Amino acid sequence: MVQGVNWDREVDVVVLGSGGAAMTAAISAHDFGAKDVVILEKTGMVGGTTAMSGGMLWIPNNHHQHEAGYEDSDEEVVTYLDALAPDGLDPETLWAFMQNGPEMLRYLADKTPVRLRAFNDFPDYQPYAPGAKPDGGRSLDNEAFSFETLGKWAARVNPSKMAYPLRGSLMEATQGTLDEATLAERERGDYRGLGQALAGSLFKAVLDRNIPVEFEKRARKLVKDGDRVIGVIAEDASGKDFKVRARRGVVIATGGFEWNETLVKAFVRGPLTGPVSVPENEGDGLLMAIEAGAQLGNMQNAYWMQSVLEMKPQHRNAKPNYLLGSDERARPGAILVNRAGKRFVNESANYNALGKSLHAFDAGTHTYSNLPYWLIIDQRNKNKYHNFSSGPGAPPPSYMMQADTLEELAEKAGIDPAGLVATVERFNTMVRNGHDDDFNRGDNTYDNFYMWGDMDFEPPYRTLGVIDQGPFYAVKMEAGALGTAGGPKTNADAQVVDWSGNPIPGLYAAGNAMAAVLGDIYGGAGGTLGPGMTFGYIAGRHLGTVISNH
């Protein structure tokens, strides 16, 4: 035993963080035999980025999918992932995800208040790839969850990024199936959908098991006895150490490192300027894992998301707030352009794939060709659709530039005026001809999906529309991210491994704090939470069933 450590607490399992992966790890560890579990949370709130997110899970070949009539198989899943990353994934951890993801979902359905269902028709993000499911089934939506059941603890769940609570599931909201009476009833019960439902129902499972959450305990250092991790030293709000011994092990589930500028510059493949996650994701888990001798993986990748800087309100710790930018670019009458005024991508492509196009490098000018970049819309678009925090027809927010002509708009934004005019003219001609010859926007089911396409029109006009009605608007966009995708590598049991590939006894990782099982692939909606919660479940199950002699 390490000498000289005066433990403030001793437990079986310590879980660092309180997002979806962390809470799944805590409840599964408890249920599988580790009765003494504690969660250390850096902030005064639970839920992490999970609570702010859409809350969907991408789990192929799951029972909800089969019950809804969607067929799937392991062979199709492997075909799909291999097509997106040929020979790029670790077979051991990939197989662990494929086998344990469906098991984790059955466990949640049987043992917790979490209620998920297949999202009808939600396609995989690359529906054209072999093995894909263009008609949906692998992405799961949360049923609305009553925060009234959390009692006083409801105020401890991290808020959504939405300006108002969504009282139904995402599928109900987008399909318009909620009547006024149902909405009123859900209002009274404080029902919430999306990531609020997922984080809230997982938190209810934590509370039901009397698993304590130690708030404002920022984990700073892992304690080792020889090669084995036996505990963690955290820091409370006053800066005082809080030392917890873990008889069985520690789970790092602290999120990514997208808010740590030093780590981002050291590891990530290109500029990351606008993270949309909680600002506490500063790489605490990564730094502890490095010090413990962990092998790292996938450090260059992030889960890319287009975002917009909103000047107010600001996040905790006076950090800027970035708004999601996944929908606006895909609607009719909207395009993305670079400083030359040129389109550079299918604007309806999934956000992770589109994010990679922002890292195109021009060797001649030694600059990123598509950074900075802007969303361009016209008045017709603005009158009909929400654009970030601006409702249909509402006055433009401070970050949205406006001008009567495209030339004037380009001058305001710093875009080449001739380039922008030529691009819009060409785009309008292609729209009128019914096909995007440059980037094939609108050619597949994902582009025309009702989540972001306009169902008033038939494909491809659910996403294609002319830009010809002034005034015109421009919004400077950011190379944002939902989170980073790199961290300590794990084996199939979620154990962190060292540089020789051997498990570091007592150390586990899950969620965005671990090296992503799917590498730079984003298979479909829920491509972070699905694998993250699966490995949280694996970690908890392993810790619960392991008999510790330490």
Side-chain angles (χ1 to χ4, degrees):
M1 175 62 64
V2 173
Q3 301 299 314
V5 179
N6 297 315
W7 301 105
D8 296 292
R9 188 168 191 160
E10 291 197 26
V11 296
D12 289 332
V13 175
V14 179
V15 177
L16 308 181
S18 67
M23 288 194 282
T24 302
I27 61 178
S28 61
H30 174 277
D31 288 0
F32 282 100
K35 298 303 182 184
D36 200 357
V37 180
V38 67
I39 294 172
L40 301 189
E41 167 52 43
K42 180 178 182 177
T43 73
M45 309 287 282
V46 301
T49 302
T50 299
M52 302 166 62
S53 73
M56 295 184 70
L57 278 68
W58 190 78
I59 305 282
N61 209 13
N62 66 79
H63 74 279
H64 298 291
Q65 174 183 7
H66 295 306
E67 290 170 0
Y70 295 97
E71 296 183 357
D72 205 354
S73 68
D74 289 340
E75 291 76 17
E76 289 176 289
V77 179
V78 171
T79 298
Y80 179 55
L81 297 176
D82 275 351
L84 302 180
D87 302 318
L89 303 179
D90 173 57
E92 180 187 3
T93 51
L94 174 59
W95 186 247
F97 166 59
M98 291 171 55
Q99 294 302 297
N100 289 283
E103 180 180 322
M104 180 265 295
L105 293 175
R106 286 189 290 269
Y107 164 78
L108 292 177
D110 292 342
K111 303 293 185 182
T112 77
V114 175
R115 293 294 175 264
L116 298 158
R117 57 180 172 178
F119 197 130
N120 293 345
D121 304 324
F122 205 125
D124 282 342
Y125 276 2
Q126 285 79 32
Y128 46 81
K133 292 296 176 183
D135 299 320
R138 291 170 175 166
S139 290
L140 305 173
D141 188 20
N142 289 271
E143 294 183 6
F145 174 76
S146 172
F147 268 53
E148 192 174 64
T149 64
L150 293 174
K152 67 178 183 180
W153 295 105
R156 285 285 196 174
V157 179
N158 209 32
S160 171
K161 276 224 167 186
M162 295 188 69
Y164 54 90
L166 190 66
R167 298 303 184 187
S169 68
L170 188 58
M171 186 159 56
E172 287 174 326
T174 53
Q175 294 179 348
T177 57
L178 289 175
D179 56 39
E180 290 187 8
T182 303
L183 280 172
E185 180 182 346
R186 291 186 179 178
E187 184 85 25
R188 288 191 293 271
D190 193 12
Y191 279 81
R192 306 182 195 179
L194 308 180
Q196 290 284 287
L198 182 59
S201 55
L202 284 170
F203 190 31
K204 182 66 166 61
V206 168
L207 296 172
D208 288 344
R209 289 159 175 78
N210 294 313
I211 298 172
V213 179
E214 290 282 354
F215 290 103
E216 297 184 338
K217 300 294 190 299
R218 182 178 187 175
R220 287 292 199 181
K221 182 179 179 62
L222 297 170
V223 180
K224 296 179 77 173
D225 185 1
D227 292 333
R228 183 178 183 84
V229 172
I230 63 165
V232 61
I233 300 175
E235 181 181 273
D236 67 16
S238 67
K240 182 181 176 181
D241 284 350
F242 182 74
K243 303 169 185 177
V244 185
R245 180 171 182 241
R247 291 184 287 263
R248 298 196 183 192
V250 175
V251 182
I252 296 175
T254 52
F257 58 89
E258 61 275 5
W259 284 93
N260 186 317
E261 185 177 352
T262 300
L263 292 176
V264 167
K265 288 182 177 179
F267 291 115
V268 179
R269 60 177 277 172
L272 195 170
T273 61
V276 298
S277 59
V278 290
E280 291 82 16
N281 287 355
E282 298 170 297
D284 295 352
L286 172 63
L287 294 172
M288 287 186 286
I290 290 173
E291 188 177 1
Q295 182 182 163
L296 305 181
N298 206 43
M299 295 299 294
Q300 72 276 26
N301 292 314
Y303 300 112
W304 301 106
M305 166 61 73
Q306 298 68 59
S307 63
V308 172
L309 174 62
E310 184 182 46
M311 303 309 292
K312 294 180 180 180
Q314 288 186 323
H315 266 317
R316 299 184 287 267
N317 302 326
K319 290 187 177 180
N321 185 41
Y322 294 96
L323 304 175
L324 292 168
S326 60
D327 298 352
E328 289 78 6
R329 56 185 169 76
R331 298 189 184 117
I335 57 172
L336 297 175
V337 300
N338 57 23
R339 60 182 171 272
K342 295 181 179 180
R343 292 177 68 217
F344 55 89
V345 73
N346 170 5
E347 292 89 351
S348 290
N350 79 79
Y351 40 85
N352 185 60
L354 194 154
K356 297 175 186 178
S357 71
L358 301 175
H359 297 149
F361 193 74
D362 185 334
T365 61
H366 213 76
T367 60
Y368 289 97
S369 304
N370 301 324
L371 287 172
Y373 71 115
W374 292 262
L375 173 76
I376 305 295
I377 62 173
D378 69 354
Q379 189 63 45
R380 182 189 291 106
N381 176 291
K382 192 168 189 324
N383 286 342
K384 188 170 185 180
Y385 309 116
H386 269 90
N387 282 281
F388 312 108
S389 59
S390 176
S398 60
Y399 52 81
M400 183 177 284
M401 292 166 275
Q402 176 181 346
D404 291 332
T405 67
L406 288 169
E407 291 90 343
E408 182 185 354
L409 184 69
E411 292 286 355
K412 282 187 175 182
I415 304 168
D416 177 64
L420 180 60
V421 170
T423 291
V424 171
E425 288 178 352
R426 174 169 173 77
F427 181 72
N428 288 345
T429 298
M430 291 190 296
V431 171
R432 294 185 181 106
N433 290 334
H435 188 260
D436 175 11
D437 296 335
D438 292 340
F439 298 103
N440 300 312
R441 177 175 167 185
D443 281 7
N444 63 64
T445 57
Y446 181 86
D447 290 4
N448 292 288
F449 186 50
Y450 57 75
M451 277 285 292
W452 27 83
D454 189 331
M455 296 300 286
D456 288 345
F457 305 106
E458 292 300 316
Y461 296 108
R462 290 177 182 170
T463 183
L464 292 180
V466 295
I467 302 171
D468 63 358
Q469 186 180 111
F472 303 94
Y473 301 87
V475 178
K476 184 178 180 295
M477 305 286 288
E478 302 290 335
L482 300 169
T484 48
K489 291 194 70 172
T490 69
N491 61 17
D493 291 320
Q495 294 174 290
V496 174
V497 299
D498 63 21
W499 286 99
S500 296
N502 300 313
I504 298 175
L507 187 59
Y508 298 73
N512 286 6
M514 68 175 275
V517 176
L518 300 183
D520 67 345
I521 295 174
Y522 209 106
T528 55
L529 278 171
M533 287 175 57
T534 297
F535 271 77
Y537 170 76
I538 292 170
R541 184 186 61 192
H542 196 261
L543 281 161
T545 54
V546 167
I547 304 299
S548 175
N549 295 317
H550 296 267

